[in-house]
Amino acid sequence: MSRYVQDLSKAMSQDGASQFQEVIRQELELSVKKELEKILTTAPSHEFEHTKKDLDGFRKLFHRFLQEKGPSVDWGKIQRPPEDSIQPYEKIKARGLPDNISSVLNKLVVVKLNGGLGTSMGCKGPKSLIGVRNENTFLDLTVQQIEHLNKTYNTDVPLVLMNSFNTDEDTKKILQKYNHCRVKIYTFNQSRYPRINKESLLPVAKDVSYSGENTEAWYPPGHDNLGATVDLYILNHLMNPPNGKPCEFVMEVTNKTRADVKGGTLTQYEGKLRLVEIAQVPKAHVDEFKSVSKFKIFNTNNLWISLAAVKRLQEQNAIDMEIIVNPKTLDGGLNVIQLETAVGAAIKSFENSLGINVPRSRFLPVKTTSDLLLVMSNLYSLNAGSLTMSEKREFPTVPLVKLGSSFTKVQDYLRRFESIPDMLELDHLTVSGDVTFGKNVSLKGTVIIIANHGDRIDIPPGAVLENKIVSGNLRILDH
C-alpha cells in the first residue's frame, strides 16, 4: 500500500472517530435538553421565568463543557506575568488620597458573596450568620464597615448581597435588623444549576424543588473572604489612574504560604493576564503549580471591576471564563460533577487589567473552625467592622492552625474552648482528639496536642505552652 493511501486511510479513520464523537456529543446535548425541559415543567408559575433563565444558562455552560477537551490551559504557554502588571500595594498607597475622596466613594458599589451555608462547620443557615466577635456575625461586620464609611465621608455606598437559593430566605428575614443603619442593602440570587451524574452526565434532579430527595441536586458556586474591605487607596488608583488609562479589572493577590499552595495564580498567557486555577493544570505540572518559588502569589478573590466594562462585555457576549469541573460525592454515595466558573477568570476579557499585591491581612477566608479560631483570637483587632492583624504581633504572617475532627462543628469547637487562647506569638498549632482548653491559655511557637483514642487532654486555665508537644492523657481535676 502506498504511503499516500496509508495517510489517507489514517486521516479518514481519524475523521470518522471525530465524527462519531460529534454524534455522541449532539445526542448527549439533546438528552440534557430534554431533561432540563422536563424539570422546567415542574416549576410553579411565579418561578417559571427565573428557573428558565437558570436552566438556559446551564445549558450553555454544558455545551461549552462538551466542546472543551482536557485541561483548559496549554502549560507551555504559561509565563510569569510582567513586572508592571502586578503592583505592590505600598506603591498604590504612597500616592495618598485626594481631597474629594467622598465623590470617588459615591461611584462605588460593594458586592458580597452570601451564598454559602455553614454546613461544613455543622451550622444550619447562611455562613454569614455565624458569630465571630462579641456576638457580631460576619454580616454584622460587613454592615458596620460600610456604615462607618458612609458616616465618616458622608457618602451613600450601597451593599449588595449575592445570595443563593440556600441563603435567600434566611438572609431576607435578618436584614430587617439593619433598617436603621446608614446602609442601603440590596439582594439578588446567583444562578441555581443542577449537579450532573458523573457517568451519564444527566442532571440528578427530577424537578425544581430543592428539598427532600432533591436537597443535593442543585448547587450555587462560590467562597467568601472576611478580609475583603473597601480600601480607599485602591479605589483612588482605579478612579484616578496615574497614566490616565482607566483600569477595568483589578485582582488583589497576596504572597503564597504553604497553606495556600492550591490557590489560583495570575500568569501571563497569550499576551494577557490570566487566572489559572489548580483544576485547570495538567496532572504532570501540579507540583510545579504549587511551587512557592515559581508562582509566588495567589488570588484573594477581592476584585474591583468597572461596571461600564461589565455592561459592554456582557452586551457583546465577550466575558470568557474557563469551566472548572468540580467532582463531588453525594451523601448516598452517588458521584456527581458540578460545572463552575470563577469570576476572577474573567480578568483576561477586560482592558488594562492589574494585579495588586496586598498585605496578607486582606485575605481572611473562613471555611473551617480552624479559620474561625484565627479570626476570633487576639491576632486580629476589630475596628468599625474591619478585622486587621494586631499591631502587637511582631511578624505579619498568619499561624498555621489545624484543629482535628472533634472541633469540626461550631458548637463542639466553642464547648472545647472556655476562652479563646492568646495566640499573638503562635506559629503553628495542631490539635487532635478529645482536647479542651481552660481560660486564659497562651500558645506560643509550635504547639502540638494529641490525645490518643480513648484519652482526654484538658489544658489547665492559665497554662502557657511554648514549643510543646502534649500527648497521652492529661486531666487536671479540682479537689
Side-chain angles (χ1 to χ4, degrees):
M1 192 159 55
S2 74
R3 175 77 191 276
Y4 172 73
V5 175
Q6 272 182 326
D7 286 351
L8 189 64
S9 63
K10 188 176 168 190
M12 281 171 71
S13 65
Q14 282 176 341
D15 196 39
S18 63
Q19 277 182 344
F20 177 68
Q21 282 175 332
E22 186 52 41
V23 169
I24 297 285
R25 255 206 305 267
Q26 285 173 3
E27 283 184 2
L28 195 50
E29 278 205 60
L30 196 62
S31 302
V32 166
K33 181 172 181 260
K34 283 179 180 167
E35 287 294 315
L36 295 177
E37 282 168 356
K38 266 192 228 165
I39 292 170
L40 186 58
T41 61
T42 68
S45 55
H46 67 282
E47 282 180 19
F48 185 85
E49 280 309 314
H50 192 76
T51 307
K52 184 175 187 307
K53 191 177 168 194
D54 278 350
L55 295 182
D56 284 350
F58 177 77
R59 229 178 78 205
K60 286 177 187 160
L61 193 63
F62 186 75
H63 172 78
R64 280 180 49 214
F65 162 67
L66 292 182
Q67 300 296 326
E68 292 173 10
K69 299 187 191 82
S72 48
V73 290
D74 175 347
W75 193 254
K77 291 182 180 176
I78 286 184
Q79 297 170 311
R80 279 192 187 169
E83 286 296 311
D84 62 344
S85 65
I86 298 180
Q87 300 270 349
Y89 175 73
E90 292 68 33
K91 188 178 170 186
I92 306 287
K93 193 175 179 180
R95 292 185 63 207
L97 293 175
D99 296 336
N100 67 336
I101 196 68
S102 297
S103 64
V104 174
L105 269 167
N106 275 328
K107 294 178 180 171
L108 178 70
V109 174
V110 174
V111 180
K112 280 270 183 181
L113 179 63
N114 186 47
L117 290 171
T119 40
S120 62
M121 293 190 267
C123 292
K124 285 185 173 153
K127 196 201 285 188
S128 59
L129 304 185
I130 293 174
V132 193
R133 280 292 183 95
N134 327 332
E135 307 300 310
N136 282 316
T137 65
F138 292 120
L139 189 55
D140 291 338
L141 297 187
T142 300
V143 172
Q144 285 168 27
Q145 287 164 22
I146 311 287
E147 183 175 47
H148 176 69
L149 270 180
N150 286 337
K151 283 180 171 173
T152 307
Y153 297 99
N154 193 24
T155 52
D156 195 15
V157 175
L159 171 63
V160 179
L161 298 174
M162 181 164 87
N163 295 344
S164 71
F165 63 92
N166 284 323
T167 61
D168 193 48
E169 211 172 300
D170 289 340
T171 302
K172 281 181 174 162
K173 280 180 200 160
I174 215 88
L175 288 183
Q176 292 167 9
K177 79 176 199 181
Y178 305 118
N179 282 347
H180 302 294
C181 293
R182 191 169 160 178
V183 184
K184 284 185 186 145
I185 304 177
Y186 303 87
T187 66
F188 72 98
N189 266 9
Q190 65 184 114
S191 305
R192 172 166 79 117
Y193 283 174
R195 287 179 166 141
I196 54 180
N197 185 310
K198 195 179 176 185
E199 300 304 318
S200 68
L201 297 183
L202 294 176
V204 177
K206 295 294 170 234
D207 58 52
V208 293
S209 71
Y210 39 93
S211 53
E213 279 183 12
N214 259 359
T215 308
E216 296 184 292
W218 304 90
Y219 68 95
H223 302 294
D224 45 9
N225 170 15
L226 252 195
T229 56
V230 174
D231 185 283
L232 297 177
Y233 298 101
I234 296 178
L235 178 65
N236 178 49
H237 187 82
L238 283 174
M239 299 312 250
N240 302 304
N243 58 4
K245 270 198 215 162
C247 175
E248 294 185 342
F249 195 114
V250 162
M251 177 182 288
E252 291 185 39
V253 297
T254 196
N255 293 343
K256 267 188 191 179
T257 68
R258 36 171 210 238
D260 318 302
V261 291
K262 292 182 178 177
T265 194
L266 268 186
T267 63
Q268 170 92 341
Y269 193 90
E270 295 179 337
K272 285 265 193 179
L273 268 189
R274 177 143 165 182
L275 177 69
V276 176
E277 301 276 359
I278 195 163
Q280 299 168 279
V281 177
K283 280 198 172 64
H285 296 283
V286 166
D287 286 343
E288 193 183 340
F289 174 83
K290 289 180 176 179
S291 141
V292 180
S293 55
K294 179 159 185 181
F295 298 108
K296 295 183 168 68
I297 47 117
F298 72 98
N299 169 25
T300 65
N301 250 348
N302 297 355
L303 305 168
W304 302 73
I305 310 173
S306 153
L307 283 172
V310 171
K311 185 171 186 285
R312 182 191 77 233
L313 291 167
Q314 192 66 22
E315 285 168 355
Q316 296 167 356
N317 200 18
I319 297 181
D320 177 22
M321 295 181 283
E322 294 83 24
I323 294 172
I324 295 166
V325 179
N326 193 350
K328 298 265 180 188
T329 303
L330 302 188
D331 285 348
L334 181 69
N335 289 325
V336 296
I337 53 179
Q338 53 189 50
L339 304 179
E340 300 179 1
T341 52
V343 63
I347 191 166
K348 65 176 186 292
S349 303
F350 290 79
E351 296 299 320
N352 285 326
S353 298
L354 182 68
I356 296 180
N357 193 338
V358 296
R360 174 76 194 200
S361 56
R362 288 190 62 73
F363 181 64
L364 265 182
V366 180
K367 296 179 188 173
T368 63
T369 49
S370 300
D371 298 330
L372 198 57
L373 179 62
L374 288 169
V375 298
M376 289 176 86
S377 77
N378 60 346
L379 281 163
Y380 290 93
S381 308
L382 182 61
N383 182 17
S386 294
L387 287 166
T388 50
M389 180 71 76
S390 168
E391 289 179 2
K392 292 178 185 167
R393 183 160 172 91
E394 288 182 14
F395 29 93
T397 56
V398 178
L400 203 58
V401 172
K402 291 179 183 172
L403 298 178
S405 55
S406 306
F407 292 79
T408 301
K409 293 186 173 175
V410 171
Q411 67 250 43
D412 294 339
Y413 151 86
L414 291 171
R415 190 170 47 77
R416 290 178 178 278
F417 287 101
E418 269 195 66
S419 69
I420 303 295
D422 167 7
M423 291 164 47
L424 276 175
E425 294 177 44
L426 180 71
D427 296 324
H428 180 151
L429 172 68
T430 295
V431 183
S432 176
D434 186 359
V435 179
T436 64
F437 291 78
K439 277 194 171 167
N440 305 323
V441 170
S442 185
L443 304 171
K444 302 179 180 191
T446 295
V447 178
I448 297 170
I449 306 168
I450 297 172
N452 298 324
H453 187 67
D455 288 343
R456 173 167 159 186
I457 295 178
D458 291 336
I459 304 297
V464 177
L465 299 180
E466 182 167 8
N467 295 324
K468 287 277 187 293
I469 296 177
V470 182
S471 64
N473 192 356
L474 175 70
R475 297 197 73 171
I476 308 292
L477 301 172
D478 291 333
H479 60 90

